[in-house]
Amino acid sequence: MKIPLVAIPRLSQYARVLLESRHSDYISSDEISEIAGCTAAQVRKDLAYFGQFGTPSRGYKVEELKRSLSKILGTDREWNVALVGVGNLGSALLSYKGFAPNGFKIKCAFDNDLRKIGKNLEGVIVRDTSEMKRTLKAEGIRMAIVTVGAGSAQSVVNMLIKSGVTAILNFAPVKLNVARAITVLNIDLSIELERLAYFLSRTKKSKKS
Amino acid sequence: MKIPLVAIPRLSQYARVLLESRHSDYISSDEISEIAGCTAAQVRKDLAYFGQFGTPSRGYKVEELKRSLSKILGTDREWNVALVGVGNLGSALLSYKGFAPNGFKIKCAFDNDLRKIGKNLEGVIVRDTSEMKRTLKAEGIRMAIVTVGAGSAQSVVNMLIKSGVTAILNFAPVKLNVARAITVLNIDLSIELERLAYFLSRTKKSKKS
């Protein structure tokens, strides 16, 4: 089954629509699309990758679709996540309320600042970065969030990979070099603002002309 | 000129490569692509949307390409940004070092928590949300970051739009309803983790089979 990667965030969106839906039995692609903010045809196409979930007359069985999406997205289980870099952003993510309902738990946090090591933040003890390998191997953690500065991100990522991590969400504004088997998703917040700036510039120009 | 929206973040990436490059005169699409992490053909295709920047023998003129990308992305000027919701995430963004070098300045911050109003965070005074319209109109601010909870995001966005904002970066885990003329980019951090979970689940399955 060859699913385009761009479809994955949309499937996450559909799963959210279902969780918030008050429909107990069936939901139509029209209803999903209206809340998810895309076309009904897109919804039907995305869900068709995974087999026959719906019937043309009644729509999709809510509970069945929920279970299938969970299984596809890997959210039918809990994922323990490591966080490296307990600065402002790292602290914000430790208290971010959006992870837990989706099955993600930041289980351990690392920093090399002596003033932070040993602190309890949202139930997580901040540990010395030197303990990373032992801790992650012991916990079997394979997913990590990197919130260190650009200068130390690559060395942190190298350590994470040596500790058994294969999937990384990177907030450091730097391009990381990793082997093909490792998945890195880069979140660069100024790139998002640049997308907004692009839209605003274009609007301004079109208003002028 | 019809540029696919998915190309915009890549252009941001190329602009970063040029800023960090030590080449003073020319840079090839191969060199850009190696650092940006995509194919040289992709680089050439993306840059071709904006006209003829390079020569096949020598590559692209660094300074000319920098200027053109800045102009296209709207980063040839400073953008003042408003932030609403000074919780953990809002505070983290106020101290985020990645915005300023790219021309983005969080100029004002709003919250409705009396314990936060009046505080000075990173040189920005937190104001009462009720002052939003007056402040944003006076400053001519059209770009905003929303870091409030899911429950109040829609009403905050409505207020922002009434205050003249047309481009919004939304961190609240909720789908916002806005008019077509308004640009909203949603950052849902658990959706990013779900993409990682999808990759990890797939790896695990393929190892088993």
Side-chain angles (χ1 to χ4, degrees), chain A residues 1 3 5 8-13 15-16 20 34-38 50 71-77 79 81 88-93 95-96 98-99 102 104 122 142-145 166-169 171-175 177 181 183-205 207, chain B residues 1 3 5 8-13 15-16 20 34-38 50 71-77 79 81 88-93 95-96 98-99 102 104 122 142-145 166-169 171-175 177 181 183-205 207:
Chain A
M1 88 189 167
I3 305 150
L5 293 184
I8 307 303
R10 286 198 301 267
L11 297 178
S12 291
Q13 197 71 55
R16 275 165 183 62
E20 288 158 20
E34 201 175 308
I35 310 173
C38 57
F50 308 102
K71 209 174 161 193
I72 290 156
L73 292 168
T75 52
D76 55 343
R77 47 159 287 185
W79 291 96
V81 184
N88 274 301
L89 188 57
S91 304
L93 295 180
S95 62
Y96 185 62
F99 291 148
N102 297 301
F104 298 99
E122 308 278 331
R142 296 164 62 212
M143 198 185 282
I145 301 176
T166 56
I168 295 164
L169 193 60
F171 284 87
V174 65
K175 188 86 197 164
N177 294 313
T183 305
V184 174
L185 296 178
N186 293 299
I187 310 272
D188 180 342
L189 300 169
S190 55
I191 282 188
E192 303 297 333
L193 284 181
E194 284 179 17
R195 284 171 70 193
L196 289 183
Y198 169 77
F199 284 111
L200 280 179
S201 303
R202 215 173 40 159
T203 318
K204 221 176 165 184
K205 275 167 201 157
K207 267 184 189 164
Chain B
M1 87 187 169
I3 306 150
L5 293 185
I8 306 304
R10 285 199 301 266
L11 297 177
S12 291
Q13 197 70 56
R16 275 164 183 62
E20 288 159 19
E34 201 176 308
I35 310 171
C38 57
F50 308 102
K71 210 174 159 190
I72 290 156
L73 293 168
T75 51
D76 55 343
R77 46 158 290 184
W79 291 95
V81 184
N88 274 301
L89 187 57
S91 304
L93 294 181
S95 62
Y96 186 62
F99 291 149
N102 296 302
F104 298 99
E122 308 279 330
R142 296 164 63 211
M143 197 186 282
I145 300 176
T166 57
I168 295 164
L169 193 60
F171 284 86
V174 65
K175 187 87 198 162
N177 294 312
T183 306
V184 174
L185 296 179
N186 292 299
I187 311 274
D188 181 341
L189 299 170
S190 55
I191 282 187
E192 303 298 332
L193 285 182
E194 284 179 19
R195 284 170 70 192
L196 289 183
Y198 169 77
F199 284 109
L200 281 179
S201 303
R202 214 173 39 160
T203 318
K204 220 176 165 183
K205 274 167 202 159
K207 268 184 190 166

Side-chain angles (χ1 to χ4, degrees), chain A residues 63-75:
Chain A
E63 285 309 316
E64 192 183 318
L65 188 51
K66 265 189 201 171
R67 273 196 304 276
S68 301
L69 281 171
S70 271
K71 209 174 161 193
I72 290 156
L73 292 168
T75 52

Side-chain angles (χ1 to χ4, degrees), chain A residues 25-78:
Chain A
D25 45 359
Y26 285 89
I27 189 167
S28 70
S29 54
D30 277 327
E31 288 166 295
I32 297 176
S33 72
E34 201 175 308
I35 310 173
C38 57
T39 66
Q42 180 74 66
V43 172
R44 287 192 294 270
K45 194 181 167 192
D46 286 337
L47 296 182
Y49 288 115
F50 308 102
Q52 189 61 44
F53 286 127
T55 61
S57 56
R58 308 193 64 184
Y60 300 91
K61 276 187 185 165
V62 172
E63 285 309 316
E64 192 183 318
L65 188 51
K66 265 189 201 171
R67 273 196 304 276
S68 301
L69 281 171
S70 271
K71 209 174 161 193
I72 290 156
L73 292 168
T75 52
D76 55 343
R77 47 159 287 185
E78 279 229 333

Side-chain angles (χ1 to χ4, degrees), chain A residues 123-176:
Chain A
V124 177
I125 308 287
V126 180
R127 300 181 206 212
D128 192 316
T129 310
S130 65
E131 292 179 42
M132 190 189 291
K133 194 167 177 181
R134 196 175 49 80
T135 311
L136 298 196
K137 292 260 181 196
E139 300 268 8
I141 290 176
R142 296 164 62 212
M143 198 185 282
I145 301 176
V146 173
T147 46
V148 298
S152 41
Q154 183 68 55
S155 66
V156 158
V157 163
N158 295 347
M159 282 177 76
L160 283 168
I161 293 169
K162 278 181 193 158
S163 309
V165 166
T166 56
I168 295 164
L169 193 60
N170 171 43
F171 284 87
V174 65
K175 188 86 197 164
L176 299 167

